[in-house]
């Protein structure tokens, strides 16, 4: 990183807590690689201070901010305009402070999810049936991405089935895609998933040894791709089960790298050095 001086541009991440964030490692590595006179800083912002923090960033010439828990939804009333993805997801993870003083809110998770798939050669979801497990915040980004990419049918499967039905109805109404909801019980899931090209896990089950999803082996047809957006551990029990059945698999590291890369591209107008960002992220997770 070049020495901080009077021309240094500040970007960063807000959260509460924030000390766990890996984003500074990933972004500062990219900033060094691009030779920018920039610095990416973590800011501990509590919910009650969010409006004044955003106003302060704008007033002091900060270029962009990433947001993590618990601020993603609360940023919505604080921006001047939003991307369609952020609107559907109902959450903002990236702010851009524009030169005319306006604040643009985006959600880069959806595009990050798709870019990571393309990178490993997963087929485009266009015209395919897909199953998405989970109906929380990450699921909203993933289903929005799949709908925009032209999936022909989206099955949302969730432990609390009512949430799956609600999200599927919203998908049909707002994005015009054929969608249905179901629970995570084996019989229901097997039936709903028949003929799917892609199975995505957006639940947090699998992050810890005791909480793995219990899914029947027959769910995993060898031609089906299986994408778990969890990145730690790199191989969840779901991905192990799918690989044992012969499925091509993908974890969430690429999505995390690409959502950050897209944010950096929005702020800088430059192509992000994705491999540099990935290496820095892997090192910070070790
Ligand atoms: P969230 O809004 O809290 O939603 C959690 C989801 O997981 C809900 O659908 C919940 O089902 C389900 N769930 C939790 N524990 C479960 C269990 N034991 N069995 C079955 N389902 C369970 O969380 P989120 O923000 O969507 O994040 C979900 C995961 O995505 C996290 O692991 C996060 O790290 C990961 N993620 C990764 C990236 C990336 O860039 N790779 C980005 C965002 C998120 P109920 O509705 O029934 O409670």
């Amino acid at each position: 990183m070049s020495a901080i001086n009077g021309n240094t541009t500040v970007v960063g991440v807000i959260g509460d807590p924030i000390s766990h964030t890996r984003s500074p490692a990933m972004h500062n590595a990219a900033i060094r690689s691009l030779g920018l006179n920039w610095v990416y800083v973590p800011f501990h912002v509590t919910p009650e201070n969010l409006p004044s923090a955003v106003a302060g960033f704008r007033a002091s010439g900060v270029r962009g901010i990433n947001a993590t828990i618990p601020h993603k939804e609360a940023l919505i009333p604080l921006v001047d305009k939003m991307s369609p993805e952020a609107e559907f997801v109902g959450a903002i993870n990236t702010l851009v402070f524009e030169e005319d003083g306006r604040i643009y809110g985006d959600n880069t998770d959806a595009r990050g999810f798709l870019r990571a798939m393309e990178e490993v050669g997963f087929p485009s979801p266009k015209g395919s049936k897909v199953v998405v497990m989970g109906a929380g915040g990450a699921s909203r980004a993933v289903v929005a991405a799949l709908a925009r990419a032209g999936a022909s049918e989206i099955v949302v499967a969730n432990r609390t089935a009512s949430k799956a039905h609600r999200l599927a109805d919203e998908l049909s109404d707002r994005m015009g895609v054929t969608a249905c909801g179901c629970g995570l019980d084996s019989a229901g899931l097997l039936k709903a998933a028949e003929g799917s090209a892609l199975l995505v896990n957006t639940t947090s089950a699998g992050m810890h040894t005791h909480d793995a999803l219990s899914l029947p082996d027959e769910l995993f047809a060898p031609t089906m791709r299986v994408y778990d957006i969890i990145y730690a551990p790199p191989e969840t029990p779901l991905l192990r089960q799918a690989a044992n059945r012969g499925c091509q698999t993908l974890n969430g590291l690429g999505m995390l790298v690409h959502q950050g890369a897209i944010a950096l591209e929005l702020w800088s107008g430059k192509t992000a050095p994705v491999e540099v960002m990935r290496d820095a992220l892997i090192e910070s997770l070790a």
Side-chain angles (χ1 to χ4, degrees):
M1 203 182 311
S2 61
I4 291 174
N5 58 30
N7 294 314
T8 302
T9 294
V10 177
V11 287
V13 57
I14 55 172
D16 179 26
I18 196 60
S19 57
H20 65 285
T21 181
R22 317 282 187 209
S23 296
M26 182 168 77
H27 280 278
N28 284 317
I31 286 168
R32 274 192 300 276
S33 162
L34 290 171
L36 296 172
N37 182 2
W38 285 30
V39 63
Y40 185 103
V41 185
F43 294 100
H44 182 199
V45 174
T46 56
E48 63 274 20
N49 284 328
L50 186 66
S52 53
V54 170
F57 292 138
R58 167 158 53 185
S60 45
V62 166
R63 175 74 185 128
I65 286 290
N66 286 136
T68 183
I69 293 169
H71 299 314
K72 291 183 180 185
E73 291 84 16
L75 282 173
I76 291 174
L78 303 178
V79 301
D80 299 301
K81 50 184 179 157
M82 266 166 82
S83 68
E85 282 100 331
E87 244 167 60
F88 180 83
V89 177
I92 288 172
N93 75 346
T94 302
L95 295 177
V96 182
F97 296 91
E98 297 182 336
E99 278 175 12
D100 62 6
R102 296 205 297 171
I103 306 176
Y104 172 67
D106 204 342
N107 190 310
T108 63
D109 280 341
R111 271 121 72 214
F113 168 83
L114 285 179
R115 271 205 202 172
M117 273 178 70
E118 284 161 22
E119 182 180 64
V120 297
F122 270 27
S124 157
K126 195 172 169 59
S128 298
K129 175 176 173 180
V130 298
V131 178
V132 178
M133 297 189 290
S139 174
R140 294 185 71 84
V142 166
V143 296
L146 291 167
R148 286 175 79 85
S152 61
E153 186 181 345
I154 300 177
V155 177
V156 182
N158 194 49
R159 178 175 63 178
T160 311
S162 57
K163 288 194 201 165
H165 292 298
R166 258 201 312 277
L167 180 53
D169 288 348
E170 208 182 322
L171 258 180
S172 318
D173 292 348
R174 293 180 55 187
M175 304 202 71
V177 64
T178 304
C180 67
C182 66
L184 275 180
D185 60 289
S186 296
L189 192 55
L190 270 179
K191 190 161 178 289
E194 228 170 56
S196 298
L198 175 69
L199 173 72
V200 185
N201 176 45
T202 72
T203 77
S204 42
M207 291 176 80
H208 310 287
T209 40
H210 60 273
D211 69 351
L213 293 168
S214 168
L215 299 169
D217 272 342
E218 310 86 274
L219 179 65
F220 302 93
T223 51
M224 187 167 76
R225 266 72 176 189
V226 180
Y227 188 169
D228 193 334
I229 69 162
I230 291 174
Y231 51 88
E235 189 182 54
T236 56
L238 168 75
L239 291 186
R240 207 161 30 250
Q241 187 179 10
N244 286 339
R245 293 279 296 168
C247 302
Q248 193 186 352
T249 62
L250 176 62
N251 70 20
L253 190 86
M255 175 175 170
L256 188 61
V257 171
H258 282 286
Q259 60 77 30
I262 294 165
L264 187 62
E265 289 170 0
L266 284 171
W267 298 328
S268 69
K270 296 184 186 303
T271 302
V274 169
E275 291 316 317
V276 169
M277 296 176 84
R278 191 188 324 269
D279 289 348
L281 185 61
I282 292 171
E283 197 181 321
S284 80
L285 287 167

